[in-house]
Amino acid sequence: MNVSLFRCHGLFLPFIKHCPPYINISHTNRRCVITHRRMRRDFSTKASQQDSLDMSKFPVERIRNFSIIAHIDHGKSTLADRLLEMTGAIATTGNNKQVLDKLQVERERGITVKAQTASLFYQHEGQTYLLNLIDTPGHVDFSYEVSRSISACQGVLLIVDANQGIQAQTVANFYLAFEAQLTIIPVINKIDLKNADPERVEKQIEKVFDIPKEECIRISAKLGTNVDQVLQEVVKRIPPPSAGVDEPFKALVFDSTFDHYRGVVASVALFGGRVSRGDKIVSAYLGKTYEVNELGVLRPDEHPTETLYAGQVGYVIAGMKEVKEAQIGDTLYLQKQPVEALPGFKPAKPMVFAGMYPVDQSEYSALHSAVEKLTLNDSSVSVQRDSSLALGAGWRLGFLGLLHMEVFNQRLEQEYNASVIITAPTVPYKAVLSSAKLIKEHGTETITIINPAQFPERSQVTEFLEPMVMGTIIAPDDFTGKIMSLCQSRRGVQKNMFYIDDHRVIMKYIFPLNEIVVDFYDQLKSMSSGYASFDYEDAGYETAELIKIDFLLNGRPVEELTTIVHKERAYSSGKAMCERLQESIPRQMFEIAIQAAVGSKIIARETIKAYRKNVLAKCYGGDITRKMKLLKKQAEGKKKMRRIGNIDVPKDAFINVLKRK
Ligand code: GDP
Ligand code: MG
């Protein structure tokens, strides 16, 4: 790695890469299954009309594997639409919008959470090239997707918005590609915008990434301007994969999804040899043997082929029944020709943990099956059974970030019609135990605590440790002062700061993960009128004086609200959380006392007054419709509530309680 590049720009590169997020989801919902069925019908007609694709037409030297990376909203998915249209993979209808974003959450939120592959056939100087494009998500929670996509590629298109310029995730994604030694083609998008300033962006790219501005391609993905040049440069600048068709078959599993009808669908990149239908293959991880039932390429729908060849990217279905069998990062090889496994990936590392419970215990088994199905397609979610006095049986889940958690929750609700309570998220703390009894109990001196309710007593530990991150903030310099005080209030320590052009600064801060995980980005965005961007990566653990705050509703401790805070924050956090609980719990028929306690000491209290009268009592006999309406509204409201003791608590209270104003 070219370390001098970082030095020459004074960029402090956090070398400890957190194993970034990855969410692997698809095809489990009813909608997707329907799509699949339709797709398969399509294939059957297609297959009878024309034979399956002959992929032997594409020798390694005419293959280019590349990925599109960028900050969120800079136009990756829109560029992918144009590339698909121009190569005939989809019809040019004038209204293709982010066609690779297939999930309902992706379409609603306008974000990509799942990397997608498409094989394009491109005519260049009288030859047909096979271009394998991987569209990736931009948000930090999903950068695990990016790092996996990159491992199947030799080059990337680094998209930068001509108006916004380089943003925090542009920097993060650049380094993922740079460290993997890929060819990087900078593409400046949205040049059609009135305020586009491609020259300024080119200067930024030169300054921050050391890429000469002549290498930038200026395009409008929306209008299609210069998009053909992008394809030409992909062919010219990105090298073909170095894989020989005469070598033994060796494929990297870089993604996998689960289909209820066909089992695991593994996305593979062939690093050598060839594989055909009927071949006996082995997964290096488990050593199990399978027969290839179906294989093909994605354009972006599945197109079956007889054989895939070295350098190509496609999918393989081989009777694997569980996603575990197609481990991401695993190597597949022919039973008769064993090979050494490829290096693979580090497993995804959860950054936040939260309890998940059904709103109604009677829905436990339905939710259990929904969680199981969804995690089949998202192996980056870690699942442990858990139970609590107040909420009954549930799970403790680990996510790659808060957006990941919200997306998971939304998918459970939308695709499985499940209603869940997610408790206050926590980061994984550590404690070095001093009590010999506890060390013996745990079988280790240092324990990781993912449930605040299980936080050990101060007297039983030598020290507590909290996870840290290196944050990158990019913002116009008008906001520098405000941002610095926000960072300080979050216990951030500045490590570096420099200008990337006349008006924009990049700031590097070390933060406790706990301080930024819930609402930091929202605050940063609102104080900078949306101009600041933020990204972070793992920076290990540091000693911290931590303390546990318990919360009581009418004297009864509610374990799910238990929170760990820095000692200095105990009073202010306890008070603020009581106030927020007071705001989010509706008035009930009796008075409710909300208390925060450290050990046996009450440190804050708020009261919710009782209703004076039942609202229904106001409806006199005649006004039946109004009465019905009220009753219906109350019943609907109840669904969003969870009864703790005799108190109805809204299900989002557990998260809202952590959000600072
Ligand atoms: P992604 O998050 O990087 O995948 O970005 P999208 O492709 O979803 O695009 C984000 C937004 O920018 C969408 O509203 C697009 O319509 C818009 N957009 C993308 N490319 C262009 C462009 O070249 N010009 C203009 N004016 N808007 C664009
Ligand atoms: Mg996108």
Side-chain angles (χ1 to χ4, degrees):
M1 184 169 64
N2 182 357
V3 176
S4 64
L5 176 69
F6 308 125
R7 276 206 207 108
C8 77
H9 293 302
L11 250 186
F12 177 81
L13 178 82
F15 285 91
I16 323 148
K17 282 252 155 228
H18 73 90
C19 205
Y22 141 61
I23 177 169
N24 178 9
I25 33 189
S26 193
H27 311 318
T28 47
N29 62 66
R30 267 163 262 143
R31 246 168 41 111
C32 276
V33 171
I34 292 165
T35 321
H36 258 125
R37 283 178 173 161
R38 195 176 62 227
M39 269 156 45
R40 258 177 297 164
R41 254 205 315 277
D42 284 346
F43 297 143
S44 50
T45 47
K46 260 184 212 146
S48 54
Q49 284 160 7
Q50 57 181 69
D51 283 332
S52 69
L53 284 169
D54 176 11
M55 297 302 286
S56 68
K57 290 187 298 198
F58 301 104
V60 171
E61 53 293 0
R62 276 192 277 118
I63 299 175
R64 302 291 182 271
N65 297 328
F66 68 102
S67 181
I68 308 184
I69 58 176
H71 189 80
I72 196 156
D73 273 354
H74 283 201
K76 292 175 296 290
S77 302
T78 307
L79 176 60
D81 289 345
R82 294 297 89 72
L83 298 180
L84 290 169
E85 287 171 2
M86 290 178 57
T87 54
I90 56 173
T92 310
T93 58
N95 55 8
N96 287 320
K97 288 217 172 88
Q98 291 99 359
V99 292
L100 292 183
D101 290 346
K102 293 176 189 154
L103 299 168
Q104 191 182 349
V105 312
E106 296 184 313
R107 305 214 70 99
E108 279 178 14
R109 291 178 179 241
I111 56 166
T112 309
V113 299
K114 176 96 189 81
Q116 293 289 344
T117 315
S119 297
L120 314 175
F121 303 144
Y122 176 60
Q123 299 292 334
H124 179 74
E125 296 177 349
Q127 298 272 25
T128 310
Y129 283 79
L130 170 64
L131 309 183
N132 295 309
L133 146 76
I134 304 177
D135 182 26
T136 60
H139 191 278
V140 52
D141 280 17
F142 306 106
S143 69
Y144 191 55
E145 287 278 315
V146 179
S147 63
R148 285 186 302 110
S149 309
I150 277 176
S151 64
C153 295
Q154 286 70 47
V156 295
L157 298 174
L158 179 68
I159 315 293
V160 188
D161 183 311
N163 183 10
Q164 296 190 10
I166 291 178
Q167 300 288 314
Q169 271 108 56
T170 320
V171 179
N173 286 332
F174 167 83
Y175 283 117
L176 287 177
F178 182 76
E179 283 164 25
Q181 300 182 348
L182 302 193
T183 302
I184 297 167
I185 304 179
V187 175
I188 299 176
N189 186 30
K190 308 198 190 180
I191 55 166
D192 59 292
L193 286 177
K194 199 166 84 246
N195 297 329
D197 189 353
E199 236 148 79
R200 180 176 64 98
V201 179
E202 280 170 3
K203 280 192 197 136
Q204 290 179 352
I205 289 176
E206 215 166 45
K207 176 151 187 202
V208 182
F209 303 139
D210 217 5
I211 301 177
K213 60 174 186 282
E214 295 71 36
E215 291 186 19
C216 297
I217 310 173
R218 296 181 182 186
I219 68 160
S220 162
K222 191 168 175 181
L223 306 180
T225 322
N226 287 345
V227 175
D228 188 50
Q229 197 194 339
V230 173
L231 287 172
Q232 289 170 27
E233 297 301 321
V234 163
V235 173
K236 281 191 216 149
R237 293 194 215 169
I238 297 175
S242 55
V245 76
D246 299 323
E247 294 163 17
F249 165 66
K250 188 184 215 181
L252 173 74
V253 178
F254 66 92
D255 199 358
S256 66
T257 55
F258 185 78
D259 180 301
H260 286 282
Y261 297 93
R262 301 176 299 169
V264 174
V265 184
S267 293
V268 294
L270 275 71
F271 281 61
R274 68 182 80 189
V275 65
S276 303
R277 208 140 56 93
D279 278 349
K280 291 264 190 316
I281 57 168
V282 179
S283 99
Y285 181 71
L286 290 177
K288 271 187 161 178
T289 305
Y290 305 90
E291 185 177 320
V292 178
N293 302 328
E294 187 185 325
L295 77 178
V297 292
L298 297 161
R299 310 188 11 85
D301 291 345
E302 293 171 357
H303 283 237
T305 63
E306 277 304 309
T307 308
L308 284 172
Y309 299 85
Q312 297 177 355
V313 171
Y315 71 92
V316 169
I317 301 172
M320 295 176 174
K321 291 280 171 283
E322 285 180 63
V323 168
K324 266 205 297 272
E325 295 175 84
Q327 282 277 333
I328 311 290
D330 199 357
T331 305
L332 302 177
Y333 56 84
L334 290 180
Q335 190 185 27
K336 57 183 186 217
Q337 263 181 322
V339 297
E340 205 173 300
L342 294 157
F345 311 99
K346 283 184 276 177
K349 188 169 116 187
M351 304 287 264
V352 287
F353 292 84
M356 183 181 272
Y357 298 87
V359 171
D360 187 333
Q361 266 303 312
S362 68
E363 288 161 11
Y364 177 83
S365 57
L367 182 59
H368 180 76
S369 113
V371 168
E372 223 167 40
K373 284 185 193 135
L374 197 48
T375 47
L376 267 182
N377 271 310
D378 186 357
S379 53
S380 61
V381 177
S382 71
V383 185
Q384 248 171 281
R385 292 186 71 146
D386 203 357
S387 67
S388 93
L389 281 177
L391 300 175
W395 302 267
R396 184 138 283 261
L397 304 182
F399 300 97
L400 303 164
L402 217 64
L403 178 67
H404 183 201
M405 177 170 116
E406 282 173 12
V407 165
F408 189 87
N409 188 11
Q410 191 177 344
R411 296 195 68 198
L412 272 179
E413 296 197 339
Q414 286 179 339
E415 297 168 19
Y416 296 92
N417 201 15
S419 189
V420 298
I421 296 179
I422 296 195
T423 66
T426 181
V427 301
Y429 293 105
K430 286 186 178 178
V432 182
L433 301 170
S434 59
S435 138
K437 186 169 155 263
L438 275 186
I439 295 175
K440 199 165 164 215
E441 224 172 75
H442 288 280
T444 167
E445 202 174 315
T446 308
I447 56 165
T448 305
I449 306 132
I450 58 170
N451 185 348
Q454 285 150 16
F455 206 68
E457 298 288 326
R458 182 70 186 91
S459 60
Q460 296 170 322
V461 303
T462 321
E463 60 175 353
F464 289 116
L465 301 162
E466 66 178 336
M468 308 298 288
V469 292
M470 171 64 78
T472 304
I473 299 166
I474 296 183
D477 59 1
D478 317 348
F479 301 106
T480 314
K482 273 191 186 168
I483 291 174
M484 283 166 75
S485 51
L486 172 68
C487 293
Q488 246 164 25
S489 76
R490 301 301 180 108
R491 295 194 284 134
V493 177
Q494 197 180 81
K495 290 290 165 189
N496 199 350
M497 174 168 155
F498 67 94
Y499 276 81
I500 59 170
D501 64 20
D502 295 346
H503 295 296
R504 285 185 168 262
V505 277
I506 181 165
M507 291 177 247
K508 291 265 180 187
Y509 271 89
I510 291 271
F511 290 106
L513 174 61
N514 171 41
E515 294 283 339
I516 53 123
V517 84
V518 178
D519 55 354
F520 178 77
Y521 196 27
D522 290 344
Q523 287 206 346
L524 185 69
K525 275 267 174 210
S526 68
M527 74 163 41
S528 64
S529 318
Y531 285 117
S533 64
F534 177 63
D535 199 327
Y536 63 83
E537 53 200 315
D538 193 349
Y541 275 81
E542 272 180 24
T543 309
E545 276 306 324
L546 302 170
I547 210 165
K548 179 169 86 166
I549 310 184
D550 294 312
F551 289 86
L552 300 90
L553 295 182
N554 279 351
R556 178 186 170 139
V558 182
E559 192 177 287
E560 290 65 38
L561 289 170
T562 300
T563 303
I564 311 301
V565 295
H566 195 264
K567 203 171 162 190
E568 284 169 14
R569 291 278 171 81
Y571 283 91
S572 56
S573 299
K575 185 163 183 303
M577 282 179 67
C578 282
E579 283 167 7
R580 272 172 258 149
L581 275 174
Q582 186 198 24
E583 277 167 26
S584 51
I585 299 176
R587 279 186 173 203
Q588 298 177 26
M589 304 302 286
F590 42 84
E591 186 175 283
I592 302 167
I594 303 165
Q595 293 167 305
V598 171
S600 55
K601 192 170 155 208
I602 302 292
I603 57 166
R605 173 186 169 127
E606 295 293 333
T607 310
I608 301 173
K609 294 234 169 68
Y611 269 134
R612 269 197 221 106
K613 258 190 222 146
N614 184 344
V615 264
L616 286 178
K618 279 199 204 126
C619 305
Y620 303 107
D623 199 351
I624 297 286
T625 21
R626 179 168 137 78
K627 199 164 184 170
M628 295 298 283
K629 263 190 200 152
L630 270 172
L631 279 171
K632 197 169 159 221
K633 211 166 158 193
Q634 275 194 353
E636 273 167 10
K638 281 252 158 56
K639 268 198 216 154
K640 299 204 169 78
M641 300 276 199
R642 179 62 200 253
R643 185 154 275 215
I644 297 180
N646 57 351
I647 302 169
D648 287 328
V649 180
K651 67 194 183 92
D652 48 10
F654 298 91
I655 290 181
N656 289 341
V657 83
L658 291 182
K659 294 192 175 158
R660 291 175 227 180
K661 294 236 173 58

